[in-house]
Amino acid sequence: MTIRVAACQVDVDVDDPGAEAVDAAVREAASAGAQLIVLPELAFSGYVFESIEEARLAAQPLDGPYVTGIRRLSQETGSVIVAGFCELGEGGAVHNSAMVVQDGELLGCYRKAHLWDRESDFFTPGDAAPLVIDTAVGRLAVLICYDLEMSDWVGTAAAAGAEIIAAPCNWPLLERPAGERPLEVVKAQAVAGAFKVHIVVADRCGHERGVDWIGGSVICENTGYPAAGPATGDDGPARPVVLTADLDPASSRNKSLGPRNGVWDDRRPELYWIGCP
């Protein structure tokens, strides 16, 4: 049985966050029949903070307006929604988090474990395994941006039975050879194929305090090949878009790589990381 998924690429700005673009993107995805809707990392607050104080002011607890608004949207649209947000935790700690909401209820919250560059100046990293939960669209895992580049972390989610990985991202635009896909997109395809798990990446776009963004939203099938996207090629600046595709969650349970090989069957962990820190 297939489900329709959507990756919503929106323009977010820390100086003018506004929830209108998020609301509009979710409704567009739902109108297209999406049962799973994924929004970018820090979708409500923006990313380029100048201080921990600014990040803390933008952060909200799990019962704050960010989560409450997405709960309302999920109930109205009947969809499962994964959205990145700036979470205010215990003792004033700030986390780069993502919520999973279904039928108006918060099913879970994941805190990004692997922090990129200056994120460690603002955020306290998560210290739990990837969130993997049963939902109306199948067994769903959540990773955030740089987490997706840690193949061990993706493998941990796949080993826990994830059929689809939802990945809210903020991919900064870096130089690359002409005609080449961004390395972040290539890595998402690679781990999707390596662990035979669908991956839905919702990137962001726009310009924010001197940073441009890839706008590389992509929906990868568990073959590693894109079912939709990447959203932005070499045809101009990244722009808002809603990508949709139909995926079969149950197909991710088959980890065979052919008649004689398999994702887990061929591993030899007793040989890995020997002598490494």
Side-chain angles (χ1 to χ4, degrees):
M1 183 178 69
T2 62
I3 62 159
R4 182 156 295 176
V5 304
C8 297
Q9 183 165 290
V10 297
D11 187 345
V12 185
D13 191 329
V14 72
D15 291 313
D16 184 22
E20 296 83 2
V22 168
D23 187 277
V26 169
R27 294 184 187 281
E28 180 181 344
S31 295
Q35 297 152 275
L36 169 64
I37 300 172
V38 184
L39 292 159
E41 179 180 12
L42 300 172
F44 306 92
S45 63
Y47 179 96
V48 188
F49 298 115
E50 294 179 344
S51 67
I52 180 61
E53 290 78 18
E54 185 177 46
R56 189 172 289 117
L57 284 172
Q60 293 183 7
L62 290 176
D63 59 356
Y66 293 160
V67 176
T68 301
I70 292 297
R71 288 177 58 185
R72 173 181 51 79
L73 275 175
S74 78
Q75 191 162 35
E76 289 181 16
T77 61
S79 56
V80 177
I81 303 176
V82 178
F85 74 108
C86 192
E87 181 197 357
L88 184 64
E90 294 182 4
V94 181
H95 304 280
N96 186 337
S97 300
M99 67 183 93
V100 182
V101 177
Q102 174 181 298
D103 296 328
E105 297 299 324
L106 178 67
L107 297 187
C109 178
Y110 169 74
R111 292 170 173 172
K112 187 176 184 178
H114 302 91
L115 301 182
W116 170 260
D117 197 40
R118 292 189 64 217
E119 288 178 18
S120 57
D121 292 343
F122 314 125
F123 300 117
T124 299
D127 57 5
L131 177 67
V132 183
I133 54 176
D134 292 315
T135 72
V137 295
R139 192 152 174 82
L140 182 69
V142 179
L143 304 182
I144 300 175
C145 203
Y146 192 37
D147 286 329
L148 201 58
E149 299 187 43
M150 303 293 172
S151 59
D152 291 336
W153 209 235
V154 178
T156 299
E163 297 168 336
I164 301 173
I165 293 177
C169 292
N170 278 188
W171 284 339
L173 181 63
L174 305 175
E175 289 188 14
R176 64 181 187 270
E180 291 288 347
R181 285 186 172 176
L183 189 58
E184 293 84 352
V185 173
V186 174
K187 288 180 178 180
Q189 289 184 235
V191 289
F195 294 103
K196 294 199 69 176
V197 60
H198 302 302
I199 297 180
V200 183
V201 174
D203 196 14
R204 51 87 60 90
C205 57
H207 179 85
E208 184 184 26
R209 291 183 174 177
V211 179
D212 291 306
W213 306 94
I214 290 174
S217 298
V218 62
I219 299 171
C220 298
E221 295 193 64
N222 53 26
T223 59
Y225 294 105
T232 303
D234 293 323
D235 57 348
R239 54 193 176 275
V241 67
V242 174
L243 298 179
T244 61
D246 294 330
L247 303 175
D248 177 6
S251 67
S252 293
R253 301 173 197 164
N254 178 6
K255 300 300 184 183
S256 171
L257 298 174
R260 301 181 63 174
N261 299 92
V263 170
W264 306 126
D265 298 341
D266 299 330
R267 296 179 71 252
R268 299 185 65 190
E270 72 277 7
L271 301 180
Y272 304 158
W273 303 103
I274 294 174
C276 298

